Amino acid sequence: MGYKKVFSLLITSLILIAVISGCSNETSTTPVKTTTQKVKKGNLEVGLAADGRINLSLTNLNFEEAGVVKKINVKVGEKVKKGEVLAELDDTDVQLAITKAENTLNKAEANYTDAVNKHEINRMEAKNKLDEAKTKMDARPDDDSLKASYELALKKYNLTNSDSSIQSAKLSIEEAKNDLQETKNNLSKLNLKAPFTGKIMNIAYKVGESVSGTKSTSTTGASTNTATSGSSFMTMYDPSVVYITANVTESDIPGIKKDQDMRVTIDSLSLENLKGKVVSVSEEPNIDSSGIVTYEVTGKLTKTNENIKDGMTAFLTFLKKEKKDVLLVPNKAIFVENGKQYVNVKDPDAKTEKRAITGGLTNGIQTEVVKGLKEGETVVIGGVKK
């Protein structure tokens, strides 16, 4: 290969390398993501914030009598009405007891009838003997023995006016009626009824299992759904009553009072600004291992949502100030230069304008715009060179 040819190839290679290198050194730009939001009117709420937990109003239901579960008529999560029969115990023994009590009552009533009939017979016989003694005495008024016979017959007749056997028979009937009613009451105790309209949270027993009789109890707070020997037969709750508890620091507690308005956010359900009121502020402090002092505050939702479950995490705001129907922009859209507030406004032609605004009240998430923006304008959040 000649010198000129080699030189020509070398020059060509250098040119190609330069072109490739130039291409690779060009500035690479990646589009920056931005978001926009319309300026709109709304209510700005400012207050003390705290993390909380949902506490439903739970009722632990139990049979009053011991027995074996015969039937369960509901399922977990099912809505039930007040008075609805939720479950039943085997009633074989109670039905036998009712039959026995009915037989005892029938026998007592028969005994009473017999006592009354016998009393009437005895009374009639005594009356006949009294009449006979009087006739004899009237025929011979001077005969002291006939007079004595009459007086004895009169005493016997008077005794028939109050027969103790009838009174005893009456008492037996009352006792038998009471026993029968008590037995029937025991039958009604074998049916577990809903004390209010609500939903079933937990059923701890199955058909065929034995239960011990105990009273139903009401609680407010998270429950355990594990069936144990000491657990309730069934747990239900009223979805229209939802409480929220939060531990508030000692520095914030002076700003929270009973009946104070509050707002609740439940992120897991995407529920925001649920209205509620404070129902109680505990006087008893909670002191953790690091010495931080908090007080339990309980609030109640004004309007609930059927998807809210016991134990869910919630974010509470105890309102101190509220401004209604004001222009609002996200705090992330605002930036500060030389002590002044600005936003980037995007016009209908997609051009961006840096504009000064005057901000008012803020809750840390949104800010009231007093001056500089109109409702319906679009502000840019992030990604625009200031």
Side-chain angles (χ1 to χ4, degrees):
M1 183 182 292
Y3 173 78
K4 290 183 178 181
K5 191 172 183 180
V6 172
F7 181 78
S8 177
L9 288 171
L10 180 61
I11 294 298
T12 302
S13 298
L14 290 173
I15 291 172
L16 288 171
I17 291 171
V19 171
I20 294 171
S21 177
C23 290
S24 63
N25 287 334
E26 287 182 359
T27 302
S28 176
T29 60
T30 302
V32 179
K33 292 182 178 180
T34 63
T35 58
T36 60
Q37 185 169 318
K38 293 283 187 181
V39 179
K40 58 184 180 181
K41 286 188 175 183
N43 299 333
L44 186 64
E45 300 163 337
V46 179
L48 299 171
D51 291 326
R53 192 166 298 280
I54 298 297
N55 287 287
L56 299 179
S57 181
L58 310 180
T59 297
N60 297 319
L61 304 178
N62 293 290
F63 287 99
E64 294 183 49
E65 296 290 323
V68 177
V69 181
K70 175 184 177 182
K71 191 176 181 182
I72 297 176
N73 302 320
V74 294
K75 298 178 181 179
V76 172
E78 186 174 339
K79 294 180 180 179
V80 297
K81 295 182 179 180
K82 181 178 179 180
E84 184 175 340
V85 177
L86 308 177
E88 305 168 34
L89 295 182
D90 184 83
D91 61 354
T92 302
D93 291 341
V94 178
Q95 291 289 3
L96 290 174
I98 289 176
T99 301
K100 183 178 179 180
E102 288 174 339
N103 291 337
T104 300
L105 176 59
N106 292 335
K107 184 177 179 180
E109 290 174 339
N111 290 339
Y112 173 76
T113 301
D114 290 342
V116 170
N117 291 337
K118 186 177 180 179
H119 173 263
E120 288 300 321
I121 292 172
N122 292 337
R123 193 166 184 274
M124 290 177 63
E125 289 179 350
K127 181 68 169 59
N128 290 335
K129 288 182 179 180
L130 177 63
D131 291 342
E132 183 180 345
K134 188 175 185 306
T135 301
K136 290 180 179 180
M137 182 187 69
D138 290 342
R140 298 167 61 183
D142 296 331
D143 192 330
D144 291 336
S145 62
L146 293 177
K147 184 177 181 181
S149 296
Y150 170 77
E151 290 176 352
L152 179 60
L154 179 61
K155 288 180 180 181
K156 289 183 177 180
Y157 175 74
N158 288 337
L159 287 176
T160 62
N161 290 329
S162 57
D163 195 328
S164 61
S165 61
I166 293 179
Q167 298 302 320
S168 178
K170 280 185 177 180
L171 290 176
S172 296
I173 289 177
E174 292 302 318
E175 289 177 359
K177 285 182 177 180
N178 290 336
D179 290 343
L180 178 58
Q181 186 59 51
E182 184 177 349
T183 308
K184 287 183 176 180
N185 290 342
N186 290 337
L187 180 63
S188 66
K189 292 177 182 178
L190 301 184
N191 290 336
L192 187 64
K193 296 182 179 181
F196 54 84
T197 297
K199 293 182 73 174
I200 303 300
M201 172 177 280
N202 179 51
I203 302 173
Y205 290 82
K206 298 178 181 178
V207 172
E209 293 184 332
S210 298
V211 299
S212 58
T214 184
K215 290 184 177 180
S216 299
T217 58
S218 296
T219 60
T220 300
S223 66
T224 58
N225 291 337
T226 303
T228 64
S229 59
S231 66
S232 61
F233 180 85
M234 188 180 295
T235 302
M236 66 177 293
Y237 66 96
D238 184 352
S240 66
V241 180
V242 176
Y243 293 97
I244 315 97
T245 57
N247 290 320
V248 179
T249 61
E250 58 183 323
S251 59
D252 287 340
I253 204 68
I256 300 176
K257 307 293 181 184
K258 185 180 178 181
D259 295 326
Q260 183 173 341
D261 287 330
M262 53 183 278
R263 298 292 181 266
V264 179
T265 295
I266 305 174
D267 288 335
S268 59
L269 298 177
S270 299
L271 298 175
E272 297 181 352
N273 293 323
L274 301 177
K275 294 183 179 181
K277 282 187 178 292
V278 175
V279 295
S280 67
V281 180
S282 176
E283 296 293 333
E284 184 178 356
N286 297 314
I287 305 174
D288 66 13
S289 58
S290 61
I292 296 177
V293 179
T294 60
Y295 293 84
E296 186 176 88
V297 177
T298 302
K300 182 181 179 182
L301 290 182
T302 304
K303 186 177 180 180
T304 64
N305 182 290
E306 64 178 6
N307 294 318
I308 296 176
K309 297 184 180 299
D310 191 48
M312 281 185 165
T313 302
F315 181 78
L316 288 73
T317 301
F318 302 99
L319 298 186
K320 298 184 72 176
K321 294 181 181 178
E322 183 178 15
K323 298 191 78 172
K324 296 184 177 181
D325 199 33
V326 295
L327 287 179
L328 299 172
V329 294
N331 282 10
K332 292 181 179 180
I334 302 173
F335 58 94
V336 179
E337 290 183 358
N338 298 322
K340 293 185 177 181
Q341 293 178 314
Y342 294 89
V343 294
N344 289 306
V345 182
K346 181 175 285 188
D347 63 20
D349 297 327
K351 294 181 180 180
T352 302
E353 171 197 355
K354 175 182 173 182
R355 188 185 301 177
I357 65 167
T358 300
L361 192 66
T362 182
N363 61 5
I365 300 174
Q366 292 180 305
T367 294
E368 171 196 10
V369 178
V370 179
K371 184 179 179 181
L373 286 173
K374 296 179 180 179
E375 185 177 8
E377 290 188 300
T378 303
V379 294
V380 180
I381 303 173
V384 176
K385 187 176 181 180
K386 304 177 178 66

